[in-house]
Amino acid sequence: MVKPVLSWGRAQRYDQTVVSLGRFETAFDGNRPLDGPVTFRGMGRSYGDVALNENGTLVQATGPDSVIAFDRETGILRARSGLTLADLHRITIPAGWIVAVTPGTKFVTLGGAVANDVHGKNHHTAGSFGAHVTALMLVRSNGERLLCSPSENADMFALTISGLGLTGYIEWVELQLKRITSSNLHVENRPYADLDEFFSLSEESADWPYTVAWLDCFSPEAALGRGVFSRARYVEHGPLNVKPADKAIKWPLEMPSFLLNRMSISAFNWLYRHRPAATFKGQQDYDPFFYPLDGILDWNKLYGHKGFFQHQSIIPMENGKAGVRELLEAIRREGQGSFLAVLKVHGKELSPGRNTFPYEGVSLALDFANRGRKTVDFLHRLDAIVLAHGGRMYPAKDALMTGETYRKTYPNWEALENARDPMISSSFWRRVTN
Ligand SMILES: Cc1cc2nc3c(=O)[nH]c(=O)nc-3n(C[C@H](O)[C@H](O)[C@H](O)COP(=O)(O)OP(=O)(O)OC[C@H]3O[C@@H](n4cnc5c(N)ncnc54)[C@H](O)[C@@H]3O)c2cc1C
């Protein structure tokens, strides 16, 4: 069936042939070939075009979402790649296990988490998702089934983790989960005055497993980068509760984009910094701590019918402060900014992924309403600042970086191209490799 499919940012929309996993399996057997190249799609939570395939076929890889094996003693879980973290946690949290690394939404599949090698608030202590994958099954279009792990087909394992879904269909994933004795965390939120204070708080909190900051991208020059710093760790004793899925509210409509302007964003930022939760110290359930945006389904409609772009970059530690400062100065000058600006110091922890986005450095993630050419040109200027400081952008969030930028900043891209399954491609991959 040909239908329009949107990126999570809703700024890209392509008509694509969408097929089910079952239809794809017969195609990979060679029985009924599909039209054009294939892209797999999990929950479609990537902001740009890694899970889009203009003029090609999109395989909806969200089912069947079954757990194959779960050892409650060791916390090793093997599940079909279409399982979401939300569904996984319904099974594992009551047994005292949780994923070791989670992105800021639980509505992602295991396949999507591996393909982008996602990271979370604990990157500085736990690395990214792939560091906790013990094995996976890769199905190639020639019918080959490759068991990949750190010791078996190790090259293909390392290229599939952060491989943007290009090396084959990830059929199942095996993970080492993290032991918890409560689903609550002890959380400390603290407003901070500027970038210098952000970096000293990050340093002082290095032994807290989870750290992150929200920042006000329209702060005055003297307080550039001010925001609210959060740090957290699991408490030792408490309930093992899972939030019911029906607790989320649904964002009803596309907002008129003129409502999102410097004034409304500054007003929101003021309220955010001054709300009581900005100084909260105490216990909080894992769900609102890790997934604050999941409380509002379809929040991506907030940016109006033209959608939005996310820009997430990472800059090596030695240039981190200067690079973030320059990015924030550019945003202030331009007057385009977002409610949701997130700053995080990342650690040395390694991932087996050959093309994983984070490394030791500081990352900044921002949303920008799509105002056409003006926004596109501005984001290219942000890319140039990142590049000048030796950094790079995150493919899972990107819709605009040039091929030259991608190839320069991901030096292992050619190894991925060589390992790519000839039947698989994506709009992102064609954009950055052509
Ligand atoms: C609110 C929000 C917060 C987020 N926070 C973070 C964060 O903190 N850290 C972070 O790293 N990311 C974050 N993200 C991005 C998100 O975690 C990633 O984009 C993730 O990969 C999405 O998973 P998905 O199941 O939606 O996959 P999709 O977006 O549908 O696909 C992602 C990639 O996986 C491939 N793929 C999917 N399934 C398979 C399969 N079975 N076999 C082969 N390839 C497959 C696709 O082809 C594509 O390349 C966030 C996104 C949102 C919306």
Side-chain angles (χ1 to χ4, degrees):
M1 188 194 355
V2 177
K3 60 177 188 185
V5 182
L6 281 88
S7 60
W8 182 252
R10 300 172 66 84
Q12 288 153 301
R13 176 197 181 102
Y14 301 131
D15 284 336
Q16 290 155 103
T17 307
V18 181
V19 302
S20 66
L21 260 183
R23 169 73 184 86
F24 143 78
E25 272 156 7
T26 56
F28 263 30
D29 284 349
N31 290 337
R32 290 166 61 206
L34 294 165
D35 292 335
V38 163
T39 301
F40 299 97
R41 187 171 172 93
M43 291 293 281
R45 272 359 189 232
S46 298
Y47 285 71
D49 49 1
V50 287
L52 291 179
N53 194 13
E54 193 178 7
N55 300 324
T57 299
L58 207 57
V59 177
Q60 192 56 61
T62 38
D65 54 0
S66 50
V67 170
I68 299 165
F70 174 34
D71 184 330
R72 286 158 200 261
E73 293 303 311
T74 61
I76 298 268
L77 173 131
R78 183 180 289 187
R80 294 287 301 229
S81 61
L83 188 74
T84 63
L85 300 190
D87 288 335
L88 181 151
H89 284 156
R90 262 192 272 290
I91 297 158
T92 63
I93 288 181
W97 297 96
I98 196 163
V99 282
V101 166
T102 181
T105 171
K106 58 186 175 287
F107 300 123
V108 300
T109 60
L110 293 178
V114 168
N116 278 321
D117 198 7
V118 297
H119 60 272
K121 296 179 169 86
N122 60 347
H123 183 265
H124 62 293
T125 54
S128 46
F129 195 83
H132 309 276
V133 174
T134 45
L136 57 87
M137 182 61 80
L138 195 67
V139 182
R140 305 269 293 176
S141 62
N142 60 5
E144 214 181 352
R145 294 169 63 79
L146 288 179
L147 177 65
C148 301
S149 73
S151 55
E152 209 163 327
N153 295 308
D155 280 351
M156 199 51 116
F157 182 68
L159 285 161
T160 298
I161 291 173
S162 70
L164 308 175
L166 296 165
T167 57
Y169 168 54
I170 303 164
E171 187 188 63
W172 55 254
V173 180
E174 188 185 87
L175 294 172
Q176 173 65 65
L177 301 173
K178 175 184 166 61
R179 187 58 141 160
I180 49 169
T181 45
S182 166
S183 51
N184 285 349
L185 294 111
H186 172 77
V187 177
E188 292 188 4
N189 294 339
R190 187 199 299 192
Y192 64 90
D194 55 20
L195 275 185
D196 286 337
E197 198 179 345
F198 164 78
F199 280 98
S200 36
L201 276 171
S202 297
E203 209 176 306
E204 175 194 308
S205 310
D207 63 341
W208 285 72
Y210 301 95
T211 63
V212 74
W214 163 87
L215 70 80
D216 173 0
C217 58
F218 288 144
S219 54
E221 183 73 39
L224 205 70
R226 76 175 171 199
V228 178
F229 188 88
S230 293
R231 57 190 187 189
R233 54 168 56 103
Y234 279 101
V235 301
E236 279 182 16
H237 305 289
L240 287 164
N241 290 336
V242 187
K243 186 174 175 173
D246 57 7
K247 281 282 187 281
I249 56 166
K250 206 171 161 73
W251 189 264
L253 73 176
E254 286 177 339
M255 285 269 281
S257 51
F258 67 83
L259 290 179
L260 289 169
N261 52 41
R262 192 182 185 121
M263 232 165 73
S264 62
I265 294 174
S266 296
F268 171 89
N269 287 351
W270 189 90
L271 287 169
Y272 195 93
R273 252 177 77 76
H274 292 90
R275 81 208 152 110
T279 50
F280 175 78
K281 262 192 197 154
Q283 282 198 24
Q284 190 178 16
D285 182 78
Y286 79 98
D287 194 287
F289 177 74
F290 288 123
Y291 312 121
L293 285 172
D294 286 353
I296 309 171
L297 298 179
D298 294 344
W299 63 265
N300 54 343
K301 291 185 179 163
L302 186 68
Y303 287 88
H305 75 281
K306 285 191 185 157
F308 67 103
F309 296 107
Q310 177 154 112
H311 190 270
Q312 183 169 11
S313 57
I314 186 154
I315 295 178
M317 215 51 210
E318 62 275 19
N319 300 334
K321 200 184 287 183
V324 170
R325 177 171 290 282
E326 211 173 305
L327 287 169
L328 292 177
E329 278 166 353
I331 289 161
R332 255 175 59 78
R333 271 198 308 277
E334 184 72 17
Q336 293 199 58
S338 67
F339 302 114
L340 300 162
V342 177
L343 193 59
K344 158 126 196 89
V345 165
H346 294 258
K348 286 195 182 74
E349 287 294 325
L350 295 179
S351 160
R354 295 273 309 272
N355 287 287
T356 293
F357 161 70
Y359 46 53
E360 191 177 20
V362 55
S363 73
L364 175 63
L366 301 127
D367 293 344
F368 295 94
N370 177 15
R371 304 195 198 290
R373 195 72 245 166
K374 188 171 177 257
T375 312
V376 171
D377 290 347
F378 176 57
L379 291 185
H380 282 143
R381 292 205 293 283
L382 293 187
D383 287 359
I385 296 174
V386 172
L387 248 66
H389 290 86
R392 64 187 182 192
M393 272 64 67
Y394 187 11
K397 308 285 181 80
D398 177 72
L400 296 171
M401 82 170 120
T402 65
E404 197 186 348
T405 297
Y406 174 75
R407 294 191 300 269
K408 187 167 169 193
T409 54
Y410 285 84
N412 294 326
W413 76 271
E414 266 174 312
L416 179 55
E417 172 59 14
N418 293 336
R420 182 170 67 85
D421 188 298
M423 251 183 80
I424 302 176
S425 178
S426 66
S427 292
F428 173 86
W429 197 245
R430 290 190 293 277
R431 174 162 66 83
V432 299
T433 55
N434 285 333

